[in-house]
């Protein structure tokens, strides 16, 4: 396949969208961070009272109902650290909407969607019943949120029943998002046949595929290692003038790395950077894994240069710096190791784990370059604290070299650092 070349060719037809991507890619609101920090500290028993306290604060009260506040972000963040707290936030939000006699259907739709985040159909149904009780007519968005919650909770039969209800209704017919919910769910389940059936059903109902549709289709194909199908959907997307997002680009990059075609991989990561996107940590890890496996340090160096020019985040640069250092260490190219370490430290990036440091130390031992090893250790100790395992490796290496004076020095240093 000529995956990367055909993709780059398709993308080149859409230069104006690149500029729009660069204008909007960094826009995000994170005003819920102080509240998140407070809720993480509060015990379970005080979550709702903490939210009451925040609401009584005039600035927080207005923020809760502003477009800049993200209940989705807050609940998602809490779900990772404390699912029970996330559930209490959703319950509190429902109680407030009911108490205030809220009639805006969008708020209830959003709340049902949040129930999908915490995988709680019970609360979702409470929201729906509350709407009916207060005379708020459900919309397609409300039913879509219910379907998504059912699918995320594994209740496929219930989701299908809701879909049938929408089909027979005159007020809340299935729309594009309805079909996307099923396509995405089956993509996550790894059910290729059902995913494609719902895609065909969507087109049959007169809805064209959008970004979310293609993201689910491509992701599902990549998970099943059906790279040819993923490429077909990608090309279809580009022909339709739909611009890819980071998840799609990540999926396609994974496919190229899995196939191991170095030329296409190189073309594709250059296309990503030239298009104004960032290489995220997962992409960088995949790229470094491929280059390391193939022993292609030159490609690593080229990627680092381009990432540095495009002002990537330090976490991504750290991954690439470390991979380059480990590659040089594996090849026992000590001059290059020392240059790469110095370059990394000058950028304010240090070693992050003992294993990376120990791979460099082993290279020095293999070359019996003990004096250069001493200089290396002094250089990194400014920003990195050696671990017990690293000290043990140094003792073993110096013993093999018959350097017992250095062994004593290492032992003394371990005592000073409380490791003995």
């Amino acid at each position: 396949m000529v995956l990367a070349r055909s993709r780059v060719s398709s993308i080149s037809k859409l230069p104006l969208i690149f500029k729009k991507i660069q204008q909007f890619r960094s826009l995000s609101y994170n005003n819920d961070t102080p509240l998140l920090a407070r809720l993480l500290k509060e015990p379970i028993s005080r979550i709702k009272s903490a939210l009451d306290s925040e609401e009584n604060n005039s600035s927080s009260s207005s923020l809760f109902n502003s477009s800049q506040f993200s209940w989705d972000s807050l609940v998602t963040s809490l779900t990772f650290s404390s699912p029970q707290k996330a559930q209490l936030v959703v319950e509190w939000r429902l109680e407030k909407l009911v108490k205030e006699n809220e009639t805006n259907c969008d708020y209830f739709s959003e709340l049902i969607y949040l129930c999908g985040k915490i995988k709680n159909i019970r609360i979702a149904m409470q929201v729906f019943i509350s709407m009916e009780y207060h005379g708020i007519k459900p919309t397609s968005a409300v039913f879509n949120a219910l379907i998504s919650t059912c699918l995320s909770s594994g209740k496929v039969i219930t989701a299908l029943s809701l879909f049938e209800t929408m089909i027979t209704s005159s007020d809340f017919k299935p729309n594009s998002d309805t079909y996307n919910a099923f396509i995405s769910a089956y993509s996550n389940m790894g059910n290729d046949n059902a995913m494609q059936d719902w895609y065909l059903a969507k087109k049959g109902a007169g809805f064209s595929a959008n970004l979310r549709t293609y993201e689910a289709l491509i992701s599902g194909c990549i998970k099943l290692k059906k790279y040819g199908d993923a490429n077909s959907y990608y090309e279809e997307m580009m022909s339709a003038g739909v611009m890819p997002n980071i998840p799609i680009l990540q999926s396609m990059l994974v496919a190229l790395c899995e196939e191991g075609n170095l030329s296409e991989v190189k073309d594709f990561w250059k296309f990503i950077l030239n298009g104004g996107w960032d290489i995220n940590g997962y992409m960088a890890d995949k790229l470094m894994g491929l280059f390391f496996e193939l022993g292609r340090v030159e490609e690593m160096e080229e990627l680092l240069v381009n990432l540095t020019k495009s002002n990537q985040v330090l976490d991504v640069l750290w991954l690439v710096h470390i991979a380059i250092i480990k590659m040089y260490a594996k090849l026992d190219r000590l001059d290059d190791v020392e240059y790469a370490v110095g370059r990394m430290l000058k950028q304010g990036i240090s070693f992050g784990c003992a294993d990376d440091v120990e791979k460099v130390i082993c290279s020095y031992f293999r070359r019996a370059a003990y004096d250069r090893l001493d200089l290396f250790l002094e250089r990194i100790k400014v920003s990195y604290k050696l671990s017990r395992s690293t000290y043990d490796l140094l003792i073993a290496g110096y013993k093999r070299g018959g350097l017992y004076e250095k062994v004593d020095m290492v032992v003394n240093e371990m005592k000073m650092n409380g490791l003995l």
Side-chain angles (χ1 to χ4, degrees):
M1 290 189 293
V2 287
L3 295 177
R5 282 186 287 276
S6 58
R7 278 188 280 271
V8 173
S9 175
S10 299
I11 295 275
S12 64
K13 301 174 184 177
L14 302 168
L16 293 178
I17 304 183
F18 281 146
K19 296 180 181 178
K20 293 179 181 179
I21 283 288
Q22 290 173 329
Q23 290 172 359
F24 295 107
R25 56 196 272 265
S26 61
L27 292 181
S28 63
Y29 295 102
N30 203 24
N31 290 326
D32 55 315
T33 299
L35 176 59
L36 173 62
R38 178 176 179 179
L39 295 179
L40 288 173
K41 293 178 182 178
E42 294 284 359
I44 296 292
S45 60
R46 286 189 49 79
I47 292 300
K48 290 187 178 182
S49 60
L51 288 166
D52 286 334
S53 174
E54 289 289 333
E55 185 188 37
N56 291 333
N57 182 312
S58 58
S59 61
S60 295
S61 178
S62 60
L63 178 62
F64 278 175
N65 291 318
S66 77
S67 60
Q68 295 184 8
F69 183 82
S70 172
W71 288 102
D72 186 0
S73 175
L74 179 63
V75 171
T76 300
S77 299
L78 281 174
T79 300
F80 285 112
S81 55
S82 178
Q84 190 173 354
K85 289 183 179 180
Q87 178 176 321
L88 289 171
V89 169
V90 174
E91 289 178 356
W92 180 88
R93 178 66 170 155
L94 173 59
E95 291 165 6
K96 291 300 173 182
L97 292 178
V98 172
K99 181 180 178 180
E100 295 167 1
N101 294 316
E102 181 61 60
T103 58
N104 188 331
C105 191
D106 291 341
Y107 287 149
F108 290 94
S109 176
E110 177 191 35
L111 198 53
I112 294 173
Y113 172 76
L114 294 179
C115 291
K117 293 279 184 162
I118 61 176
K119 295 180 171 56
N120 194 313
I121 296 178
R122 177 184 62 81
I123 300 179
M125 293 308 301
Q126 287 180 3
V127 177
F128 188 77
I129 292 170
S130 295
M131 290 179 60
E132 290 188 318
Y133 181 78
H134 287 83
I136 304 172
K137 292 184 179 181
T139 62
S140 295
V142 170
F143 269 86
N144 289 342
L146 272 175
I147 287 173
S148 294
T149 298
C150 292
L151 290 171
S152 67
S153 304
K155 304 296 183 181
V156 178
I157 300 301
T158 306
L160 291 171
S161 296
L162 289 169
F163 178 78
E164 291 298 325
T165 300
M166 295 180 75
I167 288 289
T168 58
S169 167
S170 59
D171 297 325
F172 35 82
K173 287 287 187 182
N175 57 22
S176 178
D177 291 338
T178 313
Y179 290 93
N180 279 344
F182 284 98
I183 295 169
S184 180
Y186 285 116
S187 170
N188 292 331
M189 294 176 196
N191 189 332
D192 181 54
N193 290 332
M195 178 183 75
Q196 296 196 48
D197 285 345
W198 277 95
Y199 175 50
L200 294 175
K202 178 175 184 175
K203 292 199 295 186
F207 299 109
S208 58
N210 55 21
L211 181 63
R212 187 185 171 196
T213 311
Y214 286 117
E215 180 180 333
L217 291 169
I218 292 171
S219 173
C221 291
I222 298 300
K223 288 176 184 176
L224 296 170
K225 299 187 182 301
K226 293 188 173 183
Y227 303 133
D229 290 344
N231 183 56
S232 296
Y233 285 126
Y234 188 98
E235 291 300 329
E236 178 184 313
M237 177 187 71
M238 297 310 303
S239 296
V242 178
M243 195 64 174
N245 57 13
I246 286 294
I248 290 176
L249 294 172
Q250 176 175 295
S251 293
M252 298 309 297
L253 186 61
V254 167
L256 290 169
C257 288
E258 290 292 327
E259 291 178 323
N261 188 315
L262 197 60
S263 175
E264 293 188 353
V265 168
K266 183 176 178 180
D267 287 344
F268 199 64
W269 69 248
K270 284 186 175 182
F271 151 67
I272 293 173
L273 293 179
N274 291 336
W277 291 284
D278 288 336
I279 297 287
N280 62 30
Y282 186 81
M283 293 179 185
D285 189 57
K286 277 291 182 182
L287 287 168
M288 292 302 101
L290 174 65
F291 296 154
F292 197 90
E293 180 182 350
L294 299 177
R296 303 295 299 213
V297 73
E298 293 81 7
E299 278 73 12
M300 291 181 175
E301 291 282 4
E302 184 179 2
L303 178 60
L304 178 60
V305 170
N306 282 271
L307 290 176
T308 303
K309 288 180 180 178
S310 60
N311 296 317
Q312 298 289 304
V313 296
L314 286 182
D315 287 348
V316 172
L317 292 176
W318 174 81
L319 281 169
V320 180
H321 276 294
I322 292 296
I324 291 173
I325 292 168
K326 288 165 67 175
M327 175 62 79
Y328 285 138
K330 178 183 177 183
L331 300 172
D332 290 337
R333 290 166 54 173
L334 294 185
D335 288 344
D336 292 322
V337 167
E338 290 163 358
Y339 171 78
V341 169
R343 177 178 57 189
M344 179 180 74
L345 295 177
K346 286 179 181 178
Q347 290 191 10
I349 303 172
S350 181
F351 284 95
C353 68
D355 182 66
D356 297 334
V357 174
E358 290 164 12
K359 281 182 168 55
V360 175
I361 292 174
C362 287
S363 179
Y364 280 110
F365 279 141
R366 287 193 295 269
R367 294 284 298 274
Y370 303 112
D371 291 338
R372 294 176 74 173
L373 172 57
D374 291 342
L375 293 174
F376 165 74
L377 293 172
E378 288 301 319
R379 198 175 195 183
I380 68 170
K381 283 178 184 177
V382 176
S383 58
Y384 178 80
K385 184 177 181 180
L386 300 185
S387 69
R388 175 62 184 265
S389 65
T390 304
Y391 281 117
D392 289 341
L393 175 63
L394 289 170
I395 290 173
Y398 287 140
K399 282 183 177 179
R400 282 195 299 270
L403 303 174
Y404 293 101
E405 183 177 335
K406 290 186 179 294
V407 171
D408 292 339
M409 292 174 61
V410 173
V411 170
N412 289 333
E413 187 172 323
M414 292 177 71
K415 289 178 180 178
M416 290 175 57
N417 292 329
L419 296 176
L420 281 180

